[in-house]
Amino acid sequence: MKNYEKKHIGVSLAIIALLVAGAMRSSVYAQDKDSSDSVSMDQSANRIVGAWETAVTPVNCNTGAQVAPTFYGVITFNEGGTVAEFGANPATPYRTPGHGIWSSAGGHGGYTFKFSFLPLTPAGAPIGRMRVSQVAEFPRFSDESTSYGTFALSNLAGTVLASGCSTGTSVRVSGAPRYGGLPPFP
């Protein structure tokens, strides 16, 4: 019983810490918004904020050669630095949506983002964690981006079971045709 209580207390403290960190981040963001630097930061942030259709290709980390089929997904970068994503990858057919954070990588359209999700059994039980970290370029005046990064699959105890690299391309969700000549959004 005591281990059960300790585990729930630990989870509760972690949730409280995340809520406090989020509140502090919101407070800092609101304060910075009036500074002269915030104008360029806001303009830079507008490049990434929004919904994007993605194509992700697993690659060999050393050679860049494709090692698995390209898969597709969607990712949303929210104002304030959070990410929500979902990918239709045959390697993880059962999974939760991904959630994470993004930040500017020094301006000029460069960004970093990280997210994680839980791979599941067909019955819906979590089997581990997939963590993804990417560096992306969102060019000014463009609705397309490219990225490169790493992923690591661990079991629930934190032992890394598999890792690798991937490249990605993204197209902002808008009225333009998408991959494979799909019709535009109405």
Side-chain angles (χ1 to χ4, degrees), residues 10-158:
V11 169
S12 297
L13 290 174
I15 290 170
I16 291 169
L18 287 171
L19 291 172
V20 169
M24 288 174 26
R25 175 178 272 202
S26 296
S27 173
V28 169
Y29 179 74
Q31 290 172 3
D32 286 347
K33 205 161 181 152
D34 293 333
S35 72
S36 61
D37 290 339
S38 71
V39 172
S40 62
M41 291 176 83
D42 286 345
Q43 289 171 347
S44 178
N46 285 337
R47 289 187 213 168
I48 192 172
V49 171
W52 300 78
E53 297 171 337
T54 62
V56 178
T57 304
V59 298
N60 179 297
C61 295
N62 296 320
T63 66
Q66 184 171 346
V67 296
T70 297
F71 61 92
Y72 301 93
V74 292
I75 190 163
T76 301
F77 297 97
N78 301 298
E79 190 173 319
T82 61
V83 173
E85 75 73 54
F86 192 83
N89 184 352
T92 53
Y94 306 102
R95 58 166 283 193
T96 64
H99 297 280
I101 58 172
W102 67 266
S103 64
S104 176
H108 306 294
Y111 296 86
T112 60
F113 60 95
K114 298 176 183 182
F115 61 87
S116 67
F117 62 86
L118 302 177
L120 307 170
T121 66
I127 58 173
R129 290 190 194 286
M130 178 70 82
R131 291 187 171 104
V132 177
S133 180
Q134 295 279 300
V135 175
E137 183 67 33
F138 289 80
R140 195 171 190 187
F141 307 117
S142 178
D143 283 341
E144 298 181 11
S145 74
T146 57
S147 66
Y148 179 83
T150 61
F151 60 88
L153 173 65
S154 63
N155 62 20
L156 292 173

